[in-house]
């Protein structure tokens, strides 16, 4: 199916490989007109939801190029690596852990270089391209180095994650925002990783977009700032380390995760918030969503708790990581305090501490892809059913035919709505073809002006979801549009 959805995504103006006319480079993608709208809407919905969690959470923006010293302090220069094996015959390089995982169907992320070499010879792994033997495994640093200045003397890198921008700006924001914790700094922007094996479309890119929220907090008091009662009676869809191989997903009460599994209450609270984002706003079906716990060996050593957020994607063959929820302790600010010699310690009610970080880290491209995968309801007819806040266009306005009598009212309605919503106006081609085009790009509602409407001041409103049509009064359109776009009014409830 992946091939088909990829070509659909291309034909309909969503996403395709960049520099196509020069043959493209692996791992780089461009968004077309529909894709850019969909991506921007996802980012806006993300921002609105997560910035809404606390008045002291803010969106900032930071540079894509970072000095070597900052990335040395963060640990990226020395250890932002993936294991690589190279064919001694044809020279092709592969990500060693992925090759082993594919050959054995068991996780290999945690293997050391020695363990990889042993495994390669144990299972007789050979080069998939030419069947040649592999040399010894080695670590490959995934950052893109940059030379800055005419002599290239200032060593720098393209940022491998947006998170560092928030850490580097923490101290200044803490002062500006009147020295309060929790303080949340969100960044939406590009990140760059020279992935060894970019593949599976936008799932593994070399230039991609992250939406990350770093919550700087005092672990002793953070829970007091949250309404923990929101977790009462609520369950989280999880696959815990000790459930691997038994059950894909289990629904567990929040309290159980806190009491039995000893997860911090603030962590479980944020699991619930992330789950609500995916199930209630992005409309991922419950049976396609899970938190996947990373074992101590699999997660970075500084992550005290780490669950990936995974969605079952038929285009990618099963549950795939779209985001991560990481409790990073005081690792990041401590490292930058050592590296920069700037004090990151803050003083709160007589207590001195280096704030801890809870990181909510989302890959925007993977999430946009998931929207196409999940909401492409019918692959045969190609109907895409996107939630109104996410769709490239929320409304389309058509005159039934390209007739002088119908066009003025259709244009008037377009003008009425276009300042507040994404609205497409189209008057060319048969009405059936225009509806089909809107079905293909996920426009939830179409408004059509016909001859009857000219006499009784009505238009036809069509719901993509059901293809049902209703006549509504033109002077009620603004109110109805507001309700439908926000999701507060359902099409079925319209008289
Ligand atoms: P993976 O294990 O898939 O390499 P990761 O655990 O290294 O990902 P993080 O460093 O936690 O990823 O980055 C946060 C998010 O950024 C991921 O959940 C993912 O959605 C996105 N992301 C990471 N690497 C890529 C990539 N190469 N292409 C597209 N998105 C990515």
């Amino acid at each position: 199916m992946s091939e088909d959805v990829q070509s659909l995504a291309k034909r309909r103006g969503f996403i395709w490989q960049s520099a196509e006319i020069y043959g493209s480079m692996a791992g780089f993608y461009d968004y077309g007109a529909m894709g850019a709208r969909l991506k921007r809407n996802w980012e806006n919905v993300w921002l609105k939801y997560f910035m809404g969690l606390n008045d002291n959470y803010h969106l900032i923006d930071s540079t894509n190029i970072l000095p070597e010293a900052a990335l040395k302090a963060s640990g990226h220069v020395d250890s932002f690596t993936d294991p690589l094996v190279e064919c001694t015959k044809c020279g092709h390089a592969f990500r060693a852990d992925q090759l082993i995982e594919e050959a054995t169907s068991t996780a290999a992320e945690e293997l050391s270089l020695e363990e990889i070499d042993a495994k390669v010879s144990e299972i007789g792994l050979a080069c998939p391209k030419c069947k040649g033997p592999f040399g010894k495994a080695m670590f490959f640093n995934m950052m893109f180095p940059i030379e800055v200045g005419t002599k290239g003397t200032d060593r720098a890198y393209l940022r491998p994650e947006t998170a560092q921008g928030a850490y580097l700006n923490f101290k200044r924001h803490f002062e500006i925002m009147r020295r309060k914790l929790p303080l949340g700094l969100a960044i939406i922007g590009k990140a760059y990783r020279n992935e060894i094996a970019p593949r599976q479309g936008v799932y593994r890119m070399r230039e991609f977009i992250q939406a990350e929220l770093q919550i700087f907090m005092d672990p002793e008091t953070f829970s007091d700032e949250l309404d923990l009662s929101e977790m009462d009676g609520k369950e989280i869809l999880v696959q815990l380390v000790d459930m691997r191989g038994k059950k894909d997903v289990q629904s567990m009460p929040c309290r159980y995760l806190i009491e039995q599994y000893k997860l911090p209450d603030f962590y479980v609270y944020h699991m619930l918030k992330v789950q609500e984002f995916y199930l209630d706003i992005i409309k991922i079906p419950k049976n396609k969503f899970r938190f996947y716990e990373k074992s101590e060996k699999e997660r970075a050593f500084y992550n005290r708790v780490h669950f990936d957020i995974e969605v079952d994607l038929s285009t990618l063959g099963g549950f795939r990581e779209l985001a991560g929820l990481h409790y990073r302790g005081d690792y990041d600010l401590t490292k930058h305090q050592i590296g920069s010699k700037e004090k990151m310690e803050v003083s709160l009610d007589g207590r001195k501490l280096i704030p801890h970080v809870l990181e909510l880290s989302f890959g925007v491209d993977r999430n946009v892809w998931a929207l196409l995968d999940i909401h492409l309801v019918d692959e045969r007819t190609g109907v895409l059913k996107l939630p109104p806040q996410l769709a490239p266009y929320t409304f389309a306005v058509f005159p039934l035919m390209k007739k002088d009598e119908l066009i003025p009212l259709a244009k008037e309605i377009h003008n009425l709505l276009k300042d507040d919503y994404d609205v497409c106006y189209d008057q060319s081609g048969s009405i059936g073809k225009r509806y089909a085009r809107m079905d293909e790009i996920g426009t939830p509602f179409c408004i059509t002006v016909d001859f009857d409407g000219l006499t009784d001041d009505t238009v036809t409103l069509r719901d993509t979801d059901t293809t049902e049509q209703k006549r509504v009064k033109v002077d009620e359109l603004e109110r109805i549009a507001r309700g439908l776009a926000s999701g507060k009014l359902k099409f079925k409830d319209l008289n």
Side-chain angles (χ1 to χ4, degrees):
M1 173 161 168
S2 183
E3 286 279 289
D4 299 338
V5 179
Q6 268 184 29
S7 71
L8 278 183
K10 202 165 164 173
R11 283 204 313 276
R12 295 178 187 179
F14 285 98
I15 191 162
W16 48 81
Q17 277 200 289
S18 83
E20 270 185 323
I21 58 170
Y22 290 100
S24 303
M25 280 192 297
F28 296 91
Y29 283 80
D30 288 344
Y31 285 93
M34 295 308 123
R37 282 174 177 272
L38 182 62
K39 175 176 82 61
R40 181 59 59 88
N41 289 345
W42 186 92
E43 290 169 354
N44 287 341
V45 164
W46 182 89
L47 263 181
K48 191 158 174 231
Y49 182 82
F50 287 103
M51 295 305 93
L53 294 182
N54 190 297
D55 289 345
N56 204 27
Y57 292 178
H58 312 276
L59 176 69
I60 64 165
D61 210 354
S62 65
T63 60
N64 287 7
I65 296 177
L66 289 176
E68 182 171 52
L71 292 161
K72 179 88 185 153
S74 66
H76 286 85
V77 171
D78 295 322
S79 45
F80 193 63
T81 53
D82 269 342
L84 168 149
V85 280
E86 242 171 38
C87 172
T88 54
K89 203 165 133 204
C90 71
H92 262 98
F94 299 87
R95 230 180 99 170
D97 53 336
Q98 281 176 357
L99 275 190
I100 294 172
E101 277 175 22
E102 277 161 16
T104 62
S105 302
T106 51
E109 210 176 342
E110 75 275 21
L111 297 183
S112 66
L113 290 183
E114 293 71 31
E115 285 167 332
I116 288 173
D117 287 335
K119 202 82 194 166
V120 166
S121 67
E122 178 196 323
I123 58 177
L125 210 56
C127 171
K129 297 263 177 210
C130 74
K131 302 275 168 277
F134 284 122
K136 279 202 171 315
M138 59 184 122
F139 282 123
F140 173 75
N141 192 303
M142 289 191 288
M143 286 199 298
F144 286 101
I146 292 276
E147 287 177 355
V148 179
T150 52
K151 306 236 174 341
T153 38
D154 290 334
R155 286 184 59 86
Y157 294 90
L158 291 177
R159 66 181 177 194
E161 57 183 22
T162 59
Q164 295 304 322
Y167 305 146
L168 298 176
N169 279 294
F170 163 72
K171 201 60 197 292
R172 185 170 294 283
H173 273 93
F174 182 72
E175 299 297 337
I176 295 169
M177 298 300 170
R178 311 220 307 274
R179 311 178 134 261
K180 277 185 304 193
L181 293 182
L183 166 66
L185 296 180
I187 298 178
I188 299 181
K190 294 276 189 179
Y192 305 84
R193 297 181 188 178
N194 197 1
E195 296 278 356
I196 297 168
R199 54 189 183 156
Q200 293 196 297
V202 302
Y203 189 75
R204 196 159 296 286
M205 299 152 87
R206 286 176 164 143
E207 175 178 331
F208 56 99
I209 305 165
Q210 289 186 315
E212 296 193 298
L213 168 63
Q214 312 296 322
I215 303 174
F216 300 92
M217 49 88 177
D218 176 353
E220 306 256 304
T221 60
F222 189 28
S223 307
D224 305 337
E225 306 285 334
L226 309 170
D227 183 1
L228 297 179
S229 69
E230 286 182 44
M231 292 191 283
D232 293 347
K234 299 273 174 57
E235 301 201 341
I236 309 269
L237 298 159
V238 280
Q239 181 169 52
L240 296 157
V241 168
D242 61 12
M243 279 159 48
R244 294 234 185 125
K246 294 179 202 144
K247 238 178 164 193
D248 274 355
V249 189
Q250 213 172 347
S251 191
M252 283 213 180
C254 293
R255 295 280 160 211
Y256 195 74
L257 288 168
I258 297 166
E259 282 153 23
Q260 297 295 313
Y261 281 92
K262 307 287 173 226
L263 297 181
D265 50 9
F266 61 77
Y267 188 92
V268 179
Y269 176 88
H270 284 85
M271 288 175 98
L272 184 62
K273 291 289 150 192
V274 170
Q275 180 173 285
E276 282 175 1
F277 173 73
Y278 275 102
L279 301 190
D280 302 342
I281 296 181
I282 304 292
K283 308 280 185 211
I284 302 292
K286 231 175 141 185
N287 63 342
K288 294 194 172 201
F289 176 89
R290 74 178 183 193
F291 280 94
Y292 183 84
E293 187 182 21
K294 290 288 198 169
S295 69
E296 210 171 328
K297 265 185 131 185
E298 287 162 345
R299 64 184 186 239
F301 70 91
Y302 46 79
N303 276 336
R304 299 178 184 201
V305 190
H306 176 169
F307 281 73
D308 280 343
I309 291 109
E310 297 191 339
V311 170
D312 189 358
L313 299 175
S314 51
T315 51
L316 295 170
F319 277 100
R320 287 285 177 276
E321 172 188 342
L322 302 189
L325 180 58
H326 315 129
Y327 175 29
R328 304 173 63 105
D330 61 3
Y331 174 82
D332 306 286
L333 293 184
T334 304
K335 283 289 183 185
H336 285 302
Q337 174 166 289
I338 298 167
S340 66
K341 309 209 171 30
E342 277 285 327
K343 247 180 146 195
M344 294 292 161
E345 192 179 72
V346 302
S347 188
L348 286 171
D349 303 327
R351 243 167 63 81
K352 282 187 188 307
L353 81 147
I354 292 191
H356 285 210
V357 170
L358 179 67
E359 176 185 58
L360 285 67
S361 175
F362 295 69
V364 176
D365 316 276
R366 288 186 189 179
N367 276 276
V368 169
W369 184 258
L371 291 176
L372 296 178
D373 177 296
I374 295 282
H375 296 297
L376 185 71
V377 189
D378 185 337
E379 212 190 318
R380 191 181 46 81
T381 56
V383 175
L384 187 61
K385 292 188 181 173
L386 291 167
Q389 299 107 304
L390 293 165
Y393 295 111
T394 311
F395 300 100
V397 180
F398 309 139
L400 181 65
M401 285 175 278
K402 201 173 166 184
K403 292 271 184 211
D404 290 347
E405 301 92 307
L406 300 176
I407 290 172
L409 180 58
K411 287 206 165 152
E412 198 183 305
I413 293 171
H414 180 229
N415 283 333
L416 178 79
L417 300 178
K418 77 176 190 327
D419 286 346
D420 296 322
Y421 312 101
D422 295 318
V423 188
C424 171
Y425 176 85
D426 190 1
Q427 59 181 33
S428 47
S430 77
I431 190 72
K433 284 222 176 89
R434 280 180 276 160
Y435 282 146
R437 195 174 119 68
M438 289 301 126
D439 287 349
E440 285 190 343
I441 58 172
T443 307
F445 308 107
C446 296
I447 299 162
T448 305
V449 174
D450 59 19
F451 288 102
D452 288 348
L454 293 183
T455 49
D456 64 1
D457 273 332
T458 59
V459 288
T460 304
L461 186 62
R462 176 182 184 268
D463 177 41
T464 300
D465 209 5
T466 54
T467 70
E468 205 188 319
Q469 306 195 0
K470 288 184 181 174
R471 288 202 82 82
V472 299
K473 286 269 181 208
V474 174
D475 58 10
E476 292 231 47
L477 257 184
E478 254 183 307
R479 179 188 63 81
I480 292 172
R482 199 176 323 120
L484 292 174
S486 66
K488 287 184 186 143
L489 175 66
K490 299 277 170 245
F491 185 84
K492 66 175 170 42
D493 299 328
L494 272 176
N495 298 318

